[in-house]
Amino acid sequence: MRDFFVPYIKDALHSAGIVTDRDIQIEKPTDKRFGDFSTNIAFLLSKELKRNPRELAGELIDHLSFPEGTVVRTEVAGPGFVNFHLDPAFIMREVREVLRSGAAFGCSTAGRGRKAIVEYVSANPTGPLTVGRGRGGVLGDCIANLLATQGYEVTREYYFNDAGRQMQILAESVRFRYMEACGLPVEFPDSHYQGDYIRDIAAELFREHGSSLNETENLQLFKESAEGIIFASIRKTLSRLSINHDSFFNEHTLYQAGAHGISPNQAVIDALDAQGFISRHENATWFLTTKLGQEKDKVLIKSSGDPSYRLPDIAYHVTKFDRGFSLMVNVFGADHIDEYPDVNEALKILGYDTSRIRVAINQFVTTTVGGQTIKMSTRKGNADMLDELIDEVGADATRLFFIMRSKDSHLNFDIDLAKRQSKDNPVFYLQYAHARICSLLRMASREIGFDVDAASGETLTRLAEPVEFELASALLDYPEVIQSCLRFLEPQKMVEYLHGIAELYHKFYQECPILKADPEVCAARLELSICVRQVLRNGFSLLGISAPESM
RNA sequence: GUGCCCGUAGCUCAAUGGAUAGAGCAUCAGCCUUCUAAGCUGAGGGUUACAGGUUCGAGUCCUGUCGGGCAUACCA
């Protein structure tokens, strides 16, 4: 809708003899007295032209003209705002687009022909997913959904490492528990994984093999069975949240020699070395990040000969470029904040365009039960598990709660609230609006033979109540909300928006009789309801929550 | 110590540098013989942590202070 104004404003500036290449910003004023839309262009121009903004605004509107039946009034207000008042019929005509496009309303082709990759969750298979991982998972999934609406070919990728020290500890942990299961005395180290799931895996091994594994020093079997069981459980948990990755990228492949006989890891070392950013001392291989202004150099290959996590991370990102992604989104938890800058610097040195990479960092999650805060913890058994949370509050509430706050804010997950089957719970508020419309349409179909599928929106221009215009106008914001979510990698804005739509609909429902209205108005209100239902459905689908037809 | 995030109504949180800082919960007062009251209407509630600065305009940007979280590994 905002795009509508831009060409006319540009034309007017041109014919007023004002030269600028500034972007025209269109805003939606908070106060309806200031019109349906406004622009601050006069302020921006006053800066560069050193002229009075009110004067500039005046010249602008003198040259401004819109097609018949669109903008009914343009005025200069305050210190230099230009406000536009729309013809209500214009809004109602535009709303027909919701019905025409249906599930595609809000989509664009901006990303057509471009490949995007969203990397999220990426937890190593050392244990069940924690609540904190869930937040990043849902965030990443929503971002992927958002990108898909813009025509990108989206890959949802999970990057993991099933080698290395953490997995070694995991294997040892299972072995200890296995020996316990065999009735042997063991002293379980504090440094190892304490969770009950380790016991379950050990018990499984004991069931299959009895105590025949007692003697073996080879941890491989312990590792593999633990990995298999844990990964299966992770994927099951994710699928409960409708998170389904297209691709699981095993870090191990970066250690294996490729076409030219060298591994991707080695290729990174060689390339950085060629640029003078590698040093070998203390038996290790270092990335000279001090040359880039950082405090310390970073180890890429440890004295043990194994790469530290940074090296494969860099090599992994090289594969993303090599695989032809023009947009790469990485979703990390706040605890991985320091991971990215080194990767970024290395990629720049290697000549890659790092502006194609966007990083979304989500802050931590605390859960509260009965007003008591339970802080998320990592390796100990007291971490709150994502699966238990889903058991407790359901998948829809889990997803919505994770993204209804800005990713930059610590999330306070109120379990009591999420469980409540009442109006306090935003999930129910949103879904209720959808169910209410479905119910209404069912009744309309039954009582007056209204054909929902035949609705074209032709009757919408009969509507005249303020709340109806407000609602219609809000529906037209939907495509811009998607853009805004993507600009900030912040699906939370969609939650806010949908909440506003639901609120307006409830208000409309309260104020305007629908089935009891005059038949022509009745049809128009039903059509408006269908539009609202469509936007709610589209939004729910982006957020990954269900759209119940009755509640 | 240093880096990143946060500090907004009693609570949980919004607000592309725009006009009188908004929602929900909680509190108080109303609305169901009428399409789902899981809803709606209204009221009260604020020195946007603090102090400066930038400009037509600052919750938003800059500097400093205070408070909270995360990170500061040859773990990932």
Side-chain angles (χ1 to χ4, degrees):
Chain A
M1 196 70 195
R2 292 170 198 230
D3 295 343
F4 166 80
F5 297 93
V6 175
Y8 298 104
I9 294 172
K10 281 188 173 163
D11 283 353
L13 289 173
H14 182 76
S15 43
I18 300 169
V19 182
T20 180
D21 52 2
R22 274 186 182 279
D23 281 343
I24 311 288
Q25 296 175 24
I26 306 296
E27 294 160 351
K28 211 167 178 176
T30 44
D31 191 325
K32 272 179 286 181
R33 285 175 311 167
F34 298 138
D36 299 292
F37 290 91
S38 72
T39 180
N40 62 355
I41 187 67
F43 295 113
L44 304 180
L45 290 173
S46 79
K47 202 163 288 184
E48 62 184 64
L49 302 178
K50 301 204 185 335
R51 291 184 53 195
N52 180 306
R54 261 198 87 92
E55 219 173 89
L56 281 166
E59 283 178 36
L60 171 64
I61 66 168
D62 284 346
H63 291 84
L64 199 52
S65 67
F66 291 100
E68 193 68 24
T70 58
V71 178
V72 291
R73 192 155 53 92
T74 304
E75 70 203 356
V76 178
F81 291 100
V82 176
N83 296 339
F84 306 106
H85 298 261
L86 297 186
D87 185 339
F90 178 44
I91 294 173
M92 290 304 176
R93 286 197 305 275
E94 290 294 306
V95 167
R96 289 180 300 191
E97 183 58 31
V98 177
L99 293 173
R100 274 199 292 272
S101 300
F105 180 67
C107 293
S108 86
T109 54
R112 192 169 52 192
R114 300 173 70 204
K115 291 171 68 181
I117 183 168
V118 185
E119 182 211 329
Y120 56 107
V121 186
S122 295
N124 287 338
T126 56
L129 292 175
T130 58
V131 168
R133 288 287 185 177
R135 187 180 191 190
V138 175
L139 176 63
D141 198 58
C142 289
I143 290 171
N145 290 346
L146 286 160
L147 286 170
T149 67
Q150 303 305 297
Y152 283 94
E153 184 192 322
V154 181
T155 298
R156 299 144 191 268
E157 189 156 276
Y158 186 125
Y159 174 72
F160 71 102
N161 177 15
D162 61 358
R165 188 172 155 66
Q166 306 286 346
M167 292 302 286
Q168 185 72 18
I169 293 173
L170 173 71
E172 288 170 9
S173 304
V174 173
R175 186 156 179 261
F176 279 121
R177 292 302 186 205
Y178 171 79
M179 289 167 74
E180 276 180 2
C182 296
L184 297 169
V186 291
E187 209 167 302
F188 196 89
D190 284 348
S191 57
H192 283 50
Y193 293 100
Q194 310 286 324
D196 289 340
Y197 65 97
I198 301 288
R199 281 202 181 84
D200 297 341
I201 295 166
E204 179 69 31
L205 281 171
F206 185 71
R207 252 197 308 281
E208 278 180 36
H209 301 274
S211 45
S212 67
L213 304 175
N214 257 336
E215 303 300 318
T216 179
E217 283 303 308
N218 185 1
L219 286 167
Q220 196 60 21
L221 182 63
F222 293 101
K223 200 201 93 170
E224 279 172 10
S225 53
E227 179 183 338
I229 291 170
I230 291 169
F231 232 130
S233 98
I234 287 175
R235 294 184 69 159
K236 192 175 162 207
T237 304
L238 290 174
S239 81
R240 293 180 75 191
L241 290 177
S242 309
I243 297 174
N244 298 296
H245 290 85
D246 307 309
S247 167
F248 286 76
F249 191 104
N250 190 335
E251 181 184 317
H252 189 63
T253 60
L254 301 167
Y255 296 63
Q256 296 163 342
H260 304 292
I262 57 169
S263 67
N265 280 344
Q266 188 59 46
V268 167
I269 296 281
D270 292 348
L272 288 174
D273 204 3
Q275 301 290 324
F277 282 93
I278 293 293
S279 164
R280 295 181 179 81
H281 56 87
E282 298 165 46
N283 236 349
T285 302
W286 300 75
F287 179 22
L288 299 179
T289 43
T290 46
K291 280 182 136 181
L292 303 161
Q294 295 191 27
E295 280 192 23
K296 295 183 209 164
D297 292 329
K298 304 290 169 58
V299 169
L300 291 184
I301 299 179
K302 300 183 264 186
S303 53
S304 65
D306 297 321
S308 77
Y309 67 90
R310 283 190 189 83
L311 178 56
D313 259 7
I314 298 164
Y316 170 51
H317 278 81
V318 169
T319 75
K320 291 184 184 175
F321 281 95
D322 290 348
R323 285 184 280 165
F325 293 109
S326 49
L327 177 61
M328 305 158 218
V329 179
N330 299 340
V331 181
F332 296 143
D335 54 336
H336 285 229
I337 186 93
D338 279 351
E339 184 169 319
Y340 181 67
D342 296 332
V343 173
N344 200 41
E345 293 298 343
L347 290 169
K348 273 195 227 164
I349 291 167
L350 301 184
Y352 292 102
D353 174 12
T354 53
S355 70
R356 294 192 202 168
I357 304 178
R358 300 189 63 193
V359 179
I361 291 170
N362 63 280
Q363 297 298 316
F364 269 40
V365 179
T366 55
T367 47
T368 63
V369 181
Q372 292 290 318
T373 300
I374 306 162
K375 213 186 96 188
M376 195 191 95
S377 105
T378 43
R379 197 171 303 177
K380 302 294 179 186
N382 63 346
D384 39 356
M385 293 303 150
L386 182 54
D387 242 346
E388 292 170 15
L389 181 66
I390 303 170
D391 289 343
E392 197 79 10
V393 306
D396 284 341
T398 301
R399 279 194 72 120
L400 192 80
F401 272 60
F402 277 150
I403 45 167
M404 73 183 190
R405 303 296 181 224
S406 159
K407 66 181 190 304
D408 292 329
S409 294
H410 291 208
L411 175 63
N412 188 338
F413 198 119
D414 185 339
I415 290 179
D416 298 324
L417 176 62
K419 279 166 77 169
R420 219 169 294 159
Q421 309 264 317
S422 77
K423 62 180 178 175
D424 323 350
N425 186 338
V427 182
F428 281 85
Y429 188 79
L430 291 179
Q431 293 184 327
Y432 177 58
H434 183 269
R436 200 174 209 187
I437 296 170
C438 290
S439 166
L440 175 74
L441 294 175
R442 276 195 301 272
M443 183 164 291
S445 165
R446 195 170 58 234
E447 304 288 325
I448 61 173
F450 181 77
D451 186 350
V452 174
D453 298 323
S456 64
E458 294 309 314
T459 66
L460 287 169
T461 47
R462 296 172 191 160
L463 297 176
E465 294 297 323
V467 66
E468 293 166 340
F469 293 123
E470 224 180 314
L471 186 50
S473 172
L475 293 177
L476 293 175
D477 292 338
Y478 179 74
E480 286 152 17
V481 176
I482 294 179
Q483 302 293 336
S484 179
C485 288
L486 277 171
R487 187 158 61 244
F488 299 98
L489 299 178
E490 195 66 276
Q492 182 263 338
K493 293 172 188 298
M494 181 57 73
V495 181
E496 287 256 320
Y497 168 77
L498 293 174
H499 191 274
I501 293 291
E503 190 171 36
L504 276 172
Y505 188 77
H506 289 311
K507 183 176 175 175
F508 159 71
Y509 186 93
Q510 200 75 27
E511 288 181 11
C512 304
I514 301 170
L515 296 180
K516 296 188 170 66
D518 166 83
E520 293 208 325
V521 174
C522 168
R525 288 182 176 159
L526 286 169
E527 288 199 325
L528 182 60
S529 298
I530 296 170
C531 294
V532 174
R533 184 176 70 165
Q534 187 67 57
V535 168
L536 289 176
R537 278 184 179 171
N538 292 5
F540 289 0
S541 148
L542 279 178
L543 301 180
I545 64 173
S546 65
E549 306 213 336
S550 64
M551 290 172 75

